[in-house]
Amino acid sequence: MSDSRIPAASSSVCAELLHARQLRLTIDPASLGFASTAELVNEPFSWIGQQRAQAAAEFGLGLDQPDYHLFVLGEEGSGRTSLLRQAMQAEAARRPAAPDIAFVHNFAVPERPLAVRLPAGQGRVLKKRIEGLIDKLPEQLDKAVNEAQHRRQIEQLYNQARQAEEAGFASLRDWASSVGLRIRREEGQLVVESAADPAENTDSPSPADPNAQAEPGAEDSNEIFEENEALAQYGQAPSAISTEAFGTEAFSATAPAEGAVVVQLNLPVADSDSAPHATAGAEASASASAAVEPAPPAIDLEYQLRLQLAQFRGQLRQAHSARDAALHLFYQSLATPLWQAGAAQALEGLSPAPEHAATLQRWLSQMQAEWLKNMALWVPRSIAQDADALLDTTDSIEGEGESQDARDDARARLEARRQALRQLSQLNLVVDHHGETRAPVITEDQPSLRNLFGTIDPPEDDEHRSDFSCIRAGSVLRADGGFLLLHLRDMVGDEACWQALRRVLRTRQLRIDDVHAAQGPSNSGGMQPELLPLHFKLVLVGSEESYYQMQEHDPDMARRFRVKVDFAEHFKATAATYRATAALMAQRCALYQLPHCDASAVARLLEQSHREADDQQRQSGQLNQLEALLIESAQRARQSGTGRLVQAADVEAALTAHRMRHNAMEEALHDAIAEGEHVISFAGSAVGQLNGLSQIDTGDHRFGLPARITARTYAGQEGVLNIEREVALSGPIHDKGVLILQSYLTALFGHLAPLALNASVVFEQEYSGVEGDSASCAELYALLSSLSGLPLLQNIAVTGALNQHGEVLPVGGLNEKIEGWFDLCAQQGLDGSHGVLIPARNQRHLMLAQRVVDAVQAGLFHVHTAEHVSQGIALMMGQCDVPADTHVAPRRLPAAVMQGAEATLLQYRLACQKAEAARPRAQRARQRQMRNLAQQSRS
């Protein structure tokens, strides 16, 4: 360590000069052990240099306990996603297939659908069996109904109803005879006429005649049924009987629609007293027959007729109801064993867990009860009859003309009810693992509430439908029993999705909700499907920053991820990692159908991997960059048209082409320097001035650029002033470097304490800001040059950080910095004097371009390294009077530098003392106070 209290040595050790072989790692293609990547296609894709991450992943994926989910840390392009997916698939192969998951209609509580799980593949089997059950049962029932013994029982029920109808009709005819009327059936009509009508006496049978026209109708049960139903309709619409005219002529209502029934009346004449509202013709007729015995008044007779017809209608309804109830029970007795046999057959060979077997049994029982309750929806030839019965309970028919259309609409509604019941009896198989033999591995690249957790979504053809069949599964449910991979970046900003994921991981349960419900009224109708227990392993991929943010801000979520899979950004290079990287390249060539690489091309790709890592001993974990270079190199080889293997020259050409596509900014800045717009000196020496090295990173390209650093010193008490800091153009790390520099100066010249020094340091022509401490050595050299008056070489650029003991610390972006300075020097013309000064601890990070290595080999360019600032200042000021291989501890500045700086500082001290003595005491106190405040504000 440098200490000014120790007398300066008369000699110093200069910076070390590196040989060309030390400037980059060169891999011998013959050492790789293969001629081309075609030999490595069948080698497995391994965790290249990621043994720590591999061990963590295998441990976490094999652990079944809850809250042992995996958080994968690493930079994009490190292969973290593909490697984790490969590990998930390997672990899934050791586990059985996950069960199928289905939802069924809850006939007891429709808004609470039931969930059932079945072993993989059995869900599809059950779904088909239930569909077959619904399809075959009507046919089976039809077959049973047509059996002889069952037909006899059905005919007996119809005959009983028919007998009741005939008994009611006989009573109606007897009453009509007692009042001088006759009622008969004629072509589906009921004709009411006077018993004295000669025409009717001639053409119509007597009402009491058992062989009347009603008998042929009684032989056809369908005609009798239609006739009776028509009469029932007539009873519902009494306006069909007209009171506008009474006479000896038969009266017929307006021409009826097809299938309607008209009642014809031929009533006796009413007298004037009993028919005050009769027409004039009716009065004349009554006067002419005054001598005849008076008949019952026509209006009273019509009223009594209406009462008798209503009574007859009630009898018919009672007979039909009794018949239908008996038929319903009879059909149920036939269907029940068919249902039970079909349900047993549907469950045959299935092996659900006991709790799900009970749910299936309960659902099938509910479905059986529902179908048996609605026998009219599927009993053969019953829909049309039930439609007629439905019309009896409606009041939407105003006249007989609308009867047939209304019946057609009713039949259509009943068919819709049948289809609806059929839909409610299906199985909604939301997760189907048919044909799978391993646990599921799901990767969700578009995580959202809908995609992750499912939703209740009506079909496009019927947006108003909302039942169990509208439930859709998400990735979480499809991954149940297996593994789910998510990228944290895809969920950034979606707070609702993140909170839902937290809830699922905490409760290990899932309820599928309508994701649109929060946005307003939805079609789900308040459906709440049954809660589903979950057992899956979540693999969450994110950055290191996001992982530690979650640890700090969301500890409850963080404790769900107890397995940390940390991918290294760099890894130590070995023969095994070289072989594995080559195998990866071979697989990519096969995957993308690229020409394979020969050993020289692979060696060049591996060297570029070291360049990406900025390390001769380590490879970069950014495998995607290596893959991109492989693709571009293969394209170069393919364009040659010879069908040859990719060679090292193709890789080099691809690198050159890539640089040309992205270095427009670099060339523009270099042109500004070459044209003198940006002032940089490449030769000679100057006091308080030298060239520092900086790196610019545009995201897709990195390059180095020199910056002139100047320093001025003068007498004062303020110390070192960082101009960039004063104008807010420097970052905290750069400010820290300047403060360390000031601390080192204070310790270096402590025997002169307190220092009477004002100094300013600035990056000339820098307008975009400065960050980093890699220029602190150059700033120190500029200050020492200004203090000592010794000039600094302008043909050697400097980079390196500084600690308080004067040791030179490594910096980043070294290769780009050196190459940027080299290219500018080459534009000016290399004469053997140009070079760079870098930290000795950075030597292993050198992976310089071949053009730089060749120039060093030819003696046109030089790379110097320094462990201590004393070595650097000796080189930059030409004070290297001791050979570089001398084993003298390099901890003391050159004597000339120390002596010159101390003399200047003593002069500054004397100047300050004289100035202070000349000022009044009060002014000196105020100035000391202001100076202290200024120092406090800067610190």
Side-chain angles (χ1 to χ4, degrees):
M1 155 177 143
S2 178
D3 192 339
S4 59
R5 291 172 293 184
I6 302 175
S10 60
S11 62
S12 61
V13 177
C14 192
E16 181 182 358
L17 182 64
L18 296 183
H19 298 288
R21 65 178 181 275
Q22 297 175 283
L23 302 183
R24 68 172 290 117
L25 171 69
T26 302
I27 300 176
D28 183 7
S31 66
L32 298 177
F34 56 85
S36 76
T37 54
E39 305 172 18
L40 309 178
V41 171
N42 296 325
E43 292 195 9
F45 176 47
S46 62
W47 295 63
I48 307 174
Q50 304 291 352
Q51 286 72 26
R52 183 197 304 272
Q54 181 181 9
E58 292 175 352
F59 168 78
L61 294 174
L63 202 60
D64 287 333
Q65 279 65 28
D67 294 340
Y68 276 87
H69 302 286
L70 285 70
F71 197 108
V72 183
L73 292 72
E75 297 298 325
E76 293 188 24
S78 60
R80 56 186 184 175
T81 300
S82 56
L83 286 170
L84 260 297
R85 188 182 294 113
Q86 174 181 293
M88 292 159 64
Q89 291 172 348
E91 180 61 31
R94 292 189 285 268
R95 301 190 178 194
D100 296 338
I101 303 175
F103 280 95
V104 295
H105 180 65
N106 188 344
F107 291 92
V109 188
E111 64 273 13
R112 298 292 182 93
L114 303 174
V116 294
R117 296 176 188 259
L118 292 160
Q122 293 187 11
R124 183 178 297 189
V125 172
L126 180 60
K127 179 180 178 67
K128 291 182 178 179
R129 289 180 179 179
I130 294 298
E131 293 174 353
L133 173 66
I134 301 302
D135 289 337
K136 293 178 182 178
L137 272 174
E139 300 176 3
Q140 294 174 346
L141 183 60
D142 190 19
K143 184 177 179 180
V145 166
N146 288 322
E147 292 181 2
Q149 68 274 24
H150 296 153
R151 290 304 306 169
R152 286 194 296 270
Q153 296 181 45
I154 295 173
E155 291 174 0
Q156 182 179 0
L157 294 175
Y158 272 98
N159 288 333
Q160 291 174 358
R162 192 177 300 117
Q163 291 172 4
E165 294 170 10
E166 290 304 320
F169 186 69
S171 298
L172 181 62
R173 285 188 303 179
D174 291 343
W175 173 85
S177 297
S178 68
V179 296
L181 298 176
R182 175 180 294 175
I183 297 179
R184 60 186 175 84
R185 297 182 179 124
E186 182 176 314
E187 297 180 355
Q189 299 178 350
L190 284 180
V191 179
V192 181
E193 58 188 4
S194 173
D197 190 332
E200 296 301 333
N201 290 339
T202 303
D203 299 332
S204 301
S206 172
D209 187 356
N211 297 321
Q213 289 183 2
E215 288 302 318
E219 295 175 0
D220 189 343
S221 60
N222 289 333
E223 290 182 4
I224 290 178
F225 177 81
E226 293 172 0
E227 193 174 291
N228 291 335
E229 283 299 298
L231 184 58
Q233 288 302 311
Y234 164 74
Q236 272 194 315
S239 61
I241 301 180
S242 175
T243 60
E244 293 181 357
F246 301 95
T248 58
E249 298 296 326
F251 170 77
S252 177
T254 306
E258 183 181 356
V261 177
V262 177
V263 178
Q264 296 182 348
L265 298 178
N266 188 5
L267 303 180
V269 181
D271 56 20
S272 59
D273 295 334
S274 61
H277 301 291
T279 61
E283 291 177 356
S285 178
S287 299
S289 58
V292 182
E293 183 178 349
I299 294 178
D300 292 343
L301 183 59
E302 180 182 353
Y303 175 74
Q304 294 176 14
L305 176 61
R306 291 180 183 276
L307 291 179
Q308 292 297 324
L309 289 174
Q311 181 179 0
F312 177 56
R313 178 173 175 269
Q315 292 173 348
L316 291 183
R317 282 188 175 276
Q318 184 176 4
H320 293 169
S321 297
R323 179 201 64 193
D324 293 343
L327 284 172
H328 188 81
L329 293 175
F330 178 71
Y331 287 144
Q332 283 186 339
S333 66
L334 294 181
T336 299
L338 298 177
W339 264 106
Q340 293 174 348
Q345 186 177 4
L347 297 178
E348 183 179 358
L350 304 183
S351 54
E355 63 272 18
H356 296 292
T359 301
L360 283 174
Q361 290 286 359
R362 184 168 72 254
W363 171 60
L364 289 172
S365 298
Q366 291 178 354
M367 183 166 59
Q368 174 183 331
E370 191 71 18
W371 278 89
L372 293 179
K373 184 175 68 175
N374 293 275
M375 292 295 299
L377 298 181
W378 61 292
V379 171
R381 295 188 300 274
S382 63
I383 293 181
Q385 299 173 8
D386 201 67
D388 293 337
L390 179 64
L391 285 175
D392 291 342
T393 62
T394 64
D395 55 1
S396 62
I397 307 303
E398 299 296 337
E400 293 180 355
E402 300 180 13
S403 177
Q404 186 60 38
D405 292 339
R407 293 177 189 278
D408 292 340
D409 291 343
R411 293 187 183 100
R413 290 197 299 272
L414 289 175
E415 179 62 24
R417 284 174 52 192
R418 181 177 183 275
Q419 293 300 326
L421 182 57
R422 178 185 176 85
Q423 290 176 348
L424 294 179
S425 303
Q426 302 299 316
L427 206 71
N428 182 11
L429 190 60
V430 296
V431 178
D432 185 6
H433 292 297
H434 176 76
E436 298 180 7
T437 59
R438 58 175 62 187
V441 176
I442 306 298
T443 300
E444 181 54 69
D445 293 323
Q446 295 180 338
S448 63
L449 283 175
R450 178 191 184 95
N451 294 345
L452 272 180
F453 309 105
T455 186
I456 303 173
D457 214 357
E460 296 181 358
D461 58 345
D462 188 1
E463 295 183 354
H464 298 287
R465 195 177 96 201
S466 177
D467 52 38
F468 77 103
S469 65
C470 301
I471 299 174
R472 306 287 183 265
S475 298
V476 169
L477 196 57
R478 290 188 288 113
D480 186 40
F483 306 93
L484 173 63
L485 187 143
L486 298 175
H487 284 84
L488 184 58
R489 67 172 181 270
D490 295 333
M491 303 181 67
V492 173
D494 195 341
E495 183 64 21
C497 189
W498 180 253
Q499 293 300 328
L501 182 62
R502 294 176 80 255
R503 183 167 56 252
V504 166
L505 295 183
R506 184 183 72 252
T507 62
R508 296 190 289 277
Q509 289 181 323
L510 172 68
R511 185 191 299 279
I512 300 179
D513 297 318
D514 185 356
V515 298
H516 306 292
Q519 305 171 2
S522 64
N523 296 325
S524 62
M527 285 184 58
Q528 292 187 347
E530 185 178 354
L531 273 173
L532 295 165
L534 296 176
H535 181 73
F536 71 100
K537 185 75 66 175
L538 176 60
V539 177
L540 189 61
V541 181
S543 65
E544 182 178 359
E545 180 183 3
S546 61
Y547 174 79
Y548 290 109
Q549 284 180 350
M550 185 175 67
Q551 292 285 336
E552 180 179 358
H553 301 296
D554 196 350
D556 181 66
M557 186 67 165
R559 72 184 185 89
R560 311 294 173 193
F561 296 90
R562 293 178 175 171
V563 180
K564 175 182 175 183
V565 183
D566 195 355
F567 275 74
E569 186 176 357
H570 309 130
F571 54 87
K572 191 166 183 64
T574 64
T577 61
Y578 286 167
R579 181 85 177 187
T581 305
L584 173 62
M585 297 299 102
Q587 293 174 9
R588 291 299 182 265
C589 289
L591 176 63
Y592 302 137
Q593 298 181 350
L594 304 174
H596 280 280
C597 303
D598 66 9
S600 67
V602 174
R604 187 65 187 88
L605 288 169
L606 292 173
E607 291 173 3
Q608 185 62 23
S609 177
H610 283 275
R611 167 64 182 253
E612 295 293 340
D614 287 329
D615 200 318
Q616 296 180 12
Q617 301 176 10
R618 296 179 178 274
Q619 292 179 245
S620 171
Q622 306 297 307
L623 299 178
N624 65 329
Q625 296 179 357
L626 204 61
E627 180 179 321
L629 179 57
L630 169 67
I631 294 173
E632 295 174 20
S633 303
Q635 180 64 17
R636 291 278 170 178
R638 182 176 288 165
Q639 288 176 350
S640 66
T642 61
R644 58 177 173 80
L645 297 174
V646 180
Q647 299 175 356
D650 299 317
V651 179
E652 200 65 50
L655 288 169
T656 302
H658 181 274
R659 182 183 177 191
M660 291 182 63
R661 291 196 300 268
H662 297 84
N663 71 341
M665 180 186 294
E666 178 184 7
E667 289 188 352
L669 293 173
H670 285 190
D671 290 342
I673 293 174
E675 295 167 1
E677 180 180 349
H678 195 91
V679 181
I680 295 290
S681 299
F682 294 93
S685 60
V687 175
Q689 169 185 309
L690 82 169
N691 296 318
L693 294 177
S694 64
Q695 178 194 240
I696 297 177
D697 190 346
T698 62
D700 60 351
H701 182 59
R702 297 184 301 172
F703 61 94
L705 190 72
R708 173 176 286 186
I709 299 174
T710 62
R712 297 295 300 270
T713 60
Y714 46 93
Q717 303 292 334
E718 297 181 359
V720 179
L721 176 67
N722 178 13
I723 294 180
E724 270 76 25
R725 177 187 178 188
E726 296 299 320
V727 297
L729 279 178
S730 65
I733 299 178
H734 180 260
D735 295 339
K736 177 184 177 182
V738 174
L739 293 175
I740 292 174
L741 179 155
Q742 182 173 348
S743 174
Y744 176 72
L745 275 178
T746 303
L748 186 64
F749 300 103
H751 61 286
L752 302 176
L755 292 181
L757 172 68
N758 280 0
S760 61
V761 181
V762 65
F763 278 71
E764 303 288 354
Q765 294 183 286
E766 176 56 55
Y767 309 110
S768 59
V770 178
E771 177 59 320
D773 60 354
S774 64
S776 55
C777 278
E779 291 168 332
L780 174 64
Y781 298 160
L783 283 171
L784 290 175
S785 174
S786 179
L787 284 172
S788 65
L790 298 176
L792 296 169
L793 296 176
Q794 302 299 297
N795 50 13
I796 298 179
V798 179
T799 185
L802 173 72
N803 67 12
Q804 293 189 93
H805 302 291
E807 295 172 331
V808 181
L809 304 180
V811 296
L814 190 63
N815 295 296
E816 290 78 10
K817 292 176 180 178
I818 296 174
E819 290 168 2
W821 173 249
F822 171 82
D823 291 337
L824 287 170
C825 292
Q827 287 181 358
Q828 301 294 324
L830 295 173
D831 57 9
S833 64
H834 298 98
V836 293
L837 175 61
I838 65 172
R841 293 174 176 83
N842 271 129
Q843 190 272 322
R844 57 174 280 192
H845 303 136
L846 292 176
M847 283 296 298
L848 294 173
Q850 191 62 43
R851 64 183 184 277
V852 181
V853 177
D854 293 340
V856 171
Q857 183 69 38
L860 299 176
F861 192 78
H862 307 285
V863 178
H864 307 271
T865 64
E867 294 184 356
H868 193 269
V869 292
S870 59
Q871 298 172 291
I873 197 67
L875 172 68
M876 296 301 297
M877 293 183 177
Q879 300 294 317
C880 296
D881 53 319
V882 176
D885 59 353
T886 301
H887 298 289
V888 178
R891 290 293 183 267
R892 298 177 181 175
L893 296 183
V897 177
M898 289 294 296
Q899 292 170 1
E902 288 176 355
T904 302
L905 289 171
L906 286 174
Q907 292 177 3
Y908 291 167
R909 168 57 58 193
L910 292 175
C912 289
Q913 289 175 351
K914 290 180 181 180
E916 188 173 0
R919 296 188 186 93
R921 179 175 306 206
Q923 184 180 2
R924 292 199 302 269
R926 284 196 302 271
Q927 288 183 350
R928 283 196 300 269
Q929 183 179 6
M930 293 177 63
R931 186 166 57 249
N932 293 337
L933 291 175
Q935 291 177 351
Q936 292 176 4
S937 65
R938 286 199 301 269
S939 61

